[in-house]
Amino acid sequence: MIEKYIDILKNLGLRMHFGEGLATGMAETLAALTLLALSVGLYYLVTFVLKKTVYRLIQRTTTKYDDLLIKNKVLAYLCLLVPAILISSYLPQVLPSYPSTVRFLLRCDTVFEIVVAALVVNSILNTSQDFYNSFEMSKAKPLSGVIQVAKIILFVLCGLVIIAFIMGTSLKNILISLGTASAVLMLVFQDTIKGFVGSIQLSGYDMVRIGDWIVMGPADGVVQEINLTTVKVQNWDNTITTIPTYNMVSNPFTNWRGMSDSEGRRIARSINIDVNSIRYCTPEMLEKYKHYDLVKDYITQREAEIGQYNAEHHVDTSEIVNGRQQTNIGIFRAYIKAYIDNNPKLNHELTTMVRQLQPTEFGVPLQIYAFSADKQWTHYEAIQSDIFDHILAAAPMFDLKIFQKKV
């Protein structure tokens, strides 16, 4: 059929009084252009049929995994092989008078097929990564770094295969030749190599996952992506910070995952009591404090214990410094403890305490140590603020003053 088509074109040229050679060249050139047009037309026909049949079937299925084939253009790249195979099959018959041209065009066609094959494999890798990322375990064990290394190897091999094919030698000889340039390659790809090793360590030791909140230098936010060379972090103000992967292995950083996975978010904040406002309680002060529901039982119990102790030890209570006495800061500390023990927004299965820290030039710190049951940042801050709003307002009720530096 091809020969008949070329003969028809050749005879047409002869009728137009072209010479034998010119008529033959014109006929074979037109036949080659026809083959090219048919190949392109066949590509669009196959693509159209796929969109009307396979694509629609994929979109109608309940599973979303097969949609990844369309998203990553696996089938679209496979369609590119159709015209390439058609041209390589019929080009020698179309241009029989130009063997050198055929050899050159067939080499170009083969290079095109190698590139398309690499693109198909690359799309399959992208599809595999998207499929893996659809599972929850991908956050703990991301494969981005491994996939990127596989892509680098793929396209390097693709380039080497093309070079070997064009030079007419084997891939083995090309690889041997590259062995002498390994030092240069190591220098060029040192960041990639270190990033690959770093990503394996991050994943293997479970140091960071996608979705973790980390703090490292300017980065203070949620990990969005872990790839071969960088870790992308979306900061709390929605800015993006990228950190070299190997830096996260060699430098310290804070990961808040432990807090997120625990049963509560820690509150450890202090208020400073003015030392000059701390005193022993007089009977009048104790009577006033007994009107506060959270400490009335505590005061009564402590009075009984102290009275018994002083009586047993024959303490001279005419001097208030003798024996044991209650102080306004001690009662206030008991009040705060009772207050946080009755706070329903705290996790009372975890440690809850009120302790006095080392006095400083800013007064005596009273630290509240507890855990918020709600770990969400905005809710946690609101719970913490509510607690300290109450404590700061309640301090004067116990004749205490909050230290405030005078300017």
Side-chain angles (χ1 to χ4, degrees), residues 8 29 47 76 78 100 127 136 150 160 163 188 190 213 222 242 249 258 294 298 318 366 384:
I8 292 173
T29 301
T47 303
L78 282 172
S100 59
T127 303
E136 190 66 25
L160 294 177
I163 293 172
V188 172
Q190 60 174 328
W213 187 293
V222 178
T242 55
V249 178
L294 292 177
Y298 170 82
S318 60
L366 283 182
Q384 184 171 231

Side-chain angles (χ1 to χ4, degrees), residues 68-89:
L68 298 175
L69 297 174
I70 300 176
K71 175 190 171 185
N72 293 299
K73 300 181 180 179
V74 176
L75 299 179
Y77 285 131
L78 282 172
C79 290
L80 289 173
L81 291 174
V82 174
I85 294 172
L86 184 65
I87 290 174
S88 64
S89 300

Side-chain angles (χ1 to χ4, degrees), residues 345-369:
K345 295 182 180 180
L346 300 179
N347 188 337
H348 300 290
E349 294 182 1
L350 301 176
T351 303
T352 301
M353 66 178 174
V354 181
R355 60 176 178 167
Q356 188 179 125
L357 303 180
Q358 175 72 29
T360 68
E361 67 272 23
F362 301 109
V364 179
L366 283 182
Q367 186 189 61
I368 288 80
Y369 190 96

Side-chain angles (χ1 to χ4, degrees), residues 29-282:
T29 301
L30 289 175
L33 292 175
T34 303
L35 177 62
L36 178 62
L38 287 173
S39 301
V40 174
L42 182 60
Y43 165 73
Y44 283 107
L45 177 63
V46 172
T47 303
F48 176 78
V49 172
L50 281 177
K51 287 182 178 179
K52 294 297 182 180
T53 56
V54 178
Y55 281 25
R56 288 190 176 182
L57 288 174
I58 290 175
Q59 291 170 349
R60 289 178 181 177
T61 57
T62 55
T63 178
K64 297 297 181 183
Y65 300 132
D66 50 6
D67 294 343
L68 298 175
L69 297 174
I70 300 176
K71 175 190 171 185
N72 293 299
K73 300 181 180 179
V74 176
L75 299 179
Y77 285 131
L78 282 172
C79 290
L80 289 173
L81 291 174
V82 174
I85 294 172
L86 184 65
I87 290 174
S88 64
S89 300
Y90 293 100
L91 188 62
Q93 302 177 42
V94 170
L95 295 173
S97 302
Y98 301 93
S100 59
T101 302
V102 170
R103 286 195 297 271
F104 173 76
L105 292 177
L106 286 177
R107 283 180 176 271
C108 294
D109 185 78
T110 302
V111 170
F112 177 77
E113 290 179 3
I114 295 172
V115 172
V116 171
L119 292 175
V120 171
V121 176
N122 181 69
S123 298
I124 293 173
L125 289 174
N126 290 334
T127 303
S128 302
Q129 183 177 1
D130 290 340
F131 177 74
Y132 179 76
N133 289 342
S134 64
F135 297 98
E136 190 66 25
M137 65 178 295
S138 64
K139 295 181 179 180
K141 303 290 183 182
L143 287 181
S144 301
V146 177
I147 294 296
Q148 286 184 334
V149 170
K151 289 181 180 180
I152 291 174
I153 295 173
L154 169 67
F155 287 110
V156 168
L157 283 177
C158 175
L160 294 177
V161 168
I162 291 174
I163 293 172
F165 175 74
I166 293 175
M167 295 178 64
T169 185
S170 66
L171 180 60
K172 179 181 178 181
N173 293 333
I174 296 294
L175 292 175
I176 292 174
S177 301
L178 286 176
T180 58
S182 58
V184 177
L185 292 175
M186 290 286 289
L187 181 63
V188 172
F189 293 103
Q190 60 174 328
D191 288 340
T192 302
I193 294 170
K194 289 193 292 185
F196 175 60
V197 175
S199 64
I200 291 176
Q201 289 179 299
L202 286 178
S203 177
Y205 293 112
D206 199 19
M207 298 170 66
V208 66
R209 303 175 184 173
I210 295 173
D212 285 354
W213 187 293
I214 66 169
V215 179
M216 182 179 185
D220 185 0
V222 178
V223 175
Q224 298 289 317
E225 182 180 340
I226 303 173
N227 55 43
L228 181 61
T229 56
T230 58
V231 175
K232 185 167 71 174
V233 179
Q234 184 176 22
N235 299 315
W236 58 272
D237 57 358
N238 290 330
T239 57
I240 301 295
T241 300
T242 55
I243 307 170
T245 305
Y246 56 83
N247 275 6
M248 298 197 69
V249 178
S250 57
N251 296 305
F253 66 93
T254 301
N255 191 331
W256 288 86
R257 189 203 313 159
M259 179 275 297
S260 300
D261 294 343
S262 68
E263 297 300 321
R265 186 167 183 173
R266 190 186 68 170
I267 297 172
R269 182 182 291 184
S270 304
I271 58 170
N272 291 324
I273 304 297
D274 190 337
V275 176
N276 296 318
S277 65
I278 299 175
R279 64 196 60 165
Y280 289 115
C281 293
T282 63

Side-chain angles (χ1 to χ4, degrees), residues 327-384:
T327 61
N328 58 346
I329 191 172
I331 295 176
F332 183 53
R333 182 160 48 85
Y335 174 84
I336 298 173
K337 181 63 168 66
Y339 176 75
I340 62 176
D341 283 344
N342 285 276
N343 191 323
K345 295 182 180 180
L346 300 179
N347 188 337
H348 300 290
E349 294 182 1
L350 301 176
T351 303
T352 301
M353 66 178 174
V354 181
R355 60 176 178 167
Q356 188 179 125
L357 303 180
Q358 175 72 29
T360 68
E361 67 272 23
F362 301 109
V364 179
L366 283 182
Q367 186 189 61
I368 288 80
Y369 190 96
F371 289 84
S372 166
D374 194 331
K375 294 172 286 186
Q376 185 177 334
W377 187 21
T378 54
H379 297 169
Y380 161 80
E381 292 292 349
I383 293 169
Q384 184 171 231

